[in-house]
C-alpha cells in the first residue's frame, strides 16, 4: 500500500468516525483532497484509490494538472483567493469555487462560464473569526451577496465556506463552525435552498463535521506536509 492510499484510508476513517459520533451518515460528508503543490502523479495515485474531488489554490499550477488528468473525469474545486485576472481560467476549467467573496468576481465568473458547461457550483466565503487578514465577507453581508450570486445564470450557489483561525481552543473552533452552520440555516429560512457547508481541514475536520460540514478540504493528512513555497 502506498503512503497516499494509507493516508486516504485513515482520513476516510476519521470522517466516518466523526460523522457517526455526530449521528450523521458518513456519506453526508464529501472529502475534497487538496492537491495544491503536489504533482499530477500524486493526484492520479489518489484517484486510483477512488478519490474523485480535488482542490487547487493556484490557477497556473492547476491548469496543466487538470489537462494531464482529463482522462479521469475528476471534479476540480478552486479553493484559493480569486482575483479578476484568474476568473476566466477558473470559469472554463473548474466545477466548483469555494472562496467567493465579491460580487464583481461572481459576475465575471458567471459571464465567463462556457454555455456548454453546467453552471459553476459556488460557495460564499465568510470570515467567521473576524481576523482582517482573512478572505471572506462579514456574516452580516452574506445575505446580500448570496442574493446577488443566486441571480447569476452561470453560477449555482450551493452554500458557505469558512477557514477559522488556527486555534487549540476547541470550544472556540466549534463556535466558529457553528456560526457558519447557523448562517446557512438563516439564509435557508429566508427562502434560499443551500445544501453545502465547506469547512474543516486536516487539523480540525472532526469539529467541522460535528458542526455540520458537508465538504471537508484536506491536504496535509493525505499528501503530507507541503513544501514551503
Ligand atoms: C491548503 C488548504 C486546505 C488544506 O489544508 P490542510 O491543512 O493541508 O488540510 C484547505 N482549505 C483551503 C482553503 C486551503 O487553502
Amino acid at each position: 500500500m502506498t503512503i497516499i492510499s494509507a493516508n486516504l484510508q485513515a482520513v476516510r476513517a476519521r470522517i466516518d468516525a466523526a460523522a457517526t459520533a455526530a449521528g450523521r451518515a458518513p456519506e453526508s460528508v464529501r472529502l475534497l483532497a487538496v492537491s495544491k503543490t503536489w504533482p499530477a502523479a500524486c493526484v492520479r495515485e489518489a484517484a486510483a484509490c477512488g478519490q474523485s474531488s480535488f482542490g487547487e489554490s493556484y490557477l497556473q499550477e492547476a491548469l496543466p494538472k487538470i489537462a494531464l488528468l482529463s482522462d479521469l473525469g475528476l471534479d476540480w474545486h478552486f479553493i484559493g483567493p480569486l482575483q479578476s485576472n484568474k476568473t476566466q481560467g477558473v470559469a472554463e476549467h473548474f466545477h466548483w469555487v469555494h472562496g467567493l467573496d465579491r460580487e464583481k468576481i461572481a459576475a465575471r465568473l458567471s459571464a465567463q462560464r462556457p454555455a456548454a458547461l453546467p453552471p459553476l457550483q459556488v460557495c460564499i466565503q465568510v470570515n467567521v473569526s473576524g481576523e482582517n487578514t482573512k478572505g471572506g465577507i462579514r456574516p452580516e453581508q452574506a445575505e446580500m451577496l448570496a442574493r446577488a450570486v443566486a441571480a447569476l445564470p452561470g453560477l449555482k450557489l450551493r452554500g458557505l465556506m469558512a477557514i477559522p483561525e488556527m486555534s487549540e481552543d476547541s470550544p472556540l473552533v466549534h463556535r466558529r463552525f457553528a456560526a457558519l452552520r447557523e448562517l446557512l440555516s438563516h439564509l435557508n429560512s429566508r427562502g434560499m435552498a443551500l445544501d453545502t457547508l465547506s469547512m474543516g481541514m486536516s487539523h480540525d475536520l472532526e469539529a467541522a463535521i460535528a458542526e455540520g460540514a458537508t465538504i471537508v478540504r484536506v491536504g496535509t493528512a493525505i499528501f503530507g506536509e507541503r513544501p514551503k513555497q
Side-chain angles (χ1 to χ4, degrees):
M1 191 155 71
T2 67
I3 293 174
I4 289 174
S5 76
N7 286 348
L8 261 174
Q9 265 187 30
V11 168
R12 288 188 185 131
R14 283 174 63 191
I15 292 171
D16 287 8
T20 304
R24 304 180 51 199
E27 315 78 66
S28 66
V29 184
R30 183 200 307 217
L31 173 59
L32 179 64
V34 177
S35 48
K36 67 184 179 205
T37 78
W38 298 104
C42 293
V43 176
R44 194 172 281 283
E45 202 177 314
C49 307
Q51 178 62 33
S52 59
S53 299
F54 292 88
E56 291 283 336
S57 299
Y58 313 107
L59 185 66
Q60 290 89 333
E61 179 202 334
L63 292 182
K65 258 190 246 183
I66 293 173
L68 271 170
L69 299 166
S70 61
D71 56 309
L72 297 176
L74 303 173
D75 246 26
W76 292 97
H77 296 231
F78 192 82
I79 62 172
L82 199 42
Q83 295 96 24
S84 294
N85 62 342
K86 304 284 164 57
T87 54
Q88 177 112 30
V90 170
E92 290 177 354
H93 297 283
F94 281 79
H95 303 86
W96 283 73
V97 167
H98 290 235
L100 196 59
D101 62 2
R102 278 185 291 159
E103 190 175 344
K104 180 182 148 209
I105 296 290
R108 286 177 67 91
L109 286 170
S110 177
Q112 292 168 337
R113 182 66 168 172
L117 297 179
L120 185 62
Q121 319 276 304
V122 301
C123 288
I124 289 175
Q125 185 177 352
V126 180
N127 184 343
V128 289
S129 47
E131 296 166 285
N132 45 23
T133 52
K134 282 273 165 65
I137 54 160
R138 286 187 284 124
E140 315 83 77
Q141 299 171 314
E143 183 171 348
M144 218 166 74
L145 182 58
R147 293 202 184 282
V149 170
L152 294 168
L155 305 184
K156 167 84 182 148
L157 180 62
R158 293 295 299 270
L160 303 175
M161 178 269 214
I163 313 172
E165 69 268 53
M166 272 274 194
S167 170
E168 299 295 315
D169 178 349
S170 165
L172 174 79
V173 171
H174 276 263
R175 282 203 304 281
R176 300 299 193 218
F177 290 137
L180 197 71
R181 180 193 67 230
E182 284 157 13
L183 185 55
L184 189 90
S185 75
H186 170 72
L187 295 177
N188 283 337
S189 76
R190 304 266 300 157
M192 317 208 75
L194 309 179
D195 61 9
T196 301
L197 279 173
S198 168
M199 56 188 197
M201 309 179 14
S202 293
H203 64 285
D204 57 9
L205 68 88
E206 281 86 359
I209 290 169
E211 299 299 343
T214 65
I215 299 182
V216 290
R217 308 177 310 268
V218 179
T220 309
I222 296 171
F223 297 105
E225 288 290 340
R226 283 181 291 278
K228 289 266 175 283
Q229 290 230 304

